[in-house]
Amino acid sequence: QMQLVESGGGLVQAGGSLRLSCAASGRTFSIYAVGWFRQAPGKEREFVAAISGSLSIVDYADSVKDRFTISRDNAKNTAYLQMNSLKPEDTGVYYCAAGLLGRLPSGYPHWGQGTQVTVSS
């Protein structure tokens, strides 16, 4: 069973940046796509970004395109989400997940516990 642990969340002013990390256990990390999702209070979990195991495919939600960058280092079993030009609407709990490349949470069987990101205006 793969375990994922997110870190790097916090409180930041609008326009600021944060870098989230997702550390994975196990030796099969590289075969899984990694997705980042977020959930704001009272809202459904939504797709943010995803990257294939081979790093050849990346996908972003329109709301974060050109501001967020997803990456991974398979040698370190770690994925990242660099978030720039943050907006108050980016506030939420951010989760990383490992599974099949795609935008649906149901395609990812492995999830981290989440890290809170709060963007103040």
Side-chain angles (χ1 to χ4, degrees):
Q1 180 75 7
M2 174 176 289
Q3 291 187 330
L4 303 172
V5 179
E6 302 96 335
S7 61
L11 173 64
V12 64
Q13 288 187 334
S17 298
L18 283 174
R19 188 194 195 202
L20 305 183
S21 297
C22 173
S25 65
R27 292 174 290 179
T28 59
F29 177 69
S30 63
I31 70 173
Y32 290 101
V34 171
W36 285 96
F37 294 79
R38 66 188 181 190
Q39 188 164 18
K43 294 188 176 181
E44 293 187 352
R45 192 168 299 188
E46 66 172 354
F47 169 78
V48 175
I51 186 169
S52 63
S54 64
L55 288 73
S56 61
I57 301 172
V58 293
D59 186 24
Y60 296 96
D62 288 344
S63 59
V64 307
K65 200 172 293 184
D66 298 326
R67 297 189 299 122
F68 290 11
T69 301
I70 189 172
S71 62
R72 65 190 294 168
D73 184 338
N74 287 337
K76 295 182 178 179
N77 277 10
T78 303
Y80 307 95
L81 185 68
Q82 177 67 44
M83 306 187 296
N84 298 330
S85 302
L86 282 161
K87 304 175 181 179
E89 51 263 44
D90 293 319
T91 294
V93 178
Y94 281 69
Y95 299 89
C96 71
L100 295 176
L101 184 69
R103 296 189 171 199
L104 296 178
S106 59
Y108 295 84
H110 308 288
W111 288 83
Q113 82 290 347
T115 186
Q116 177 70 45
V117 171
T118 303
V119 184
S120 63
S121 57

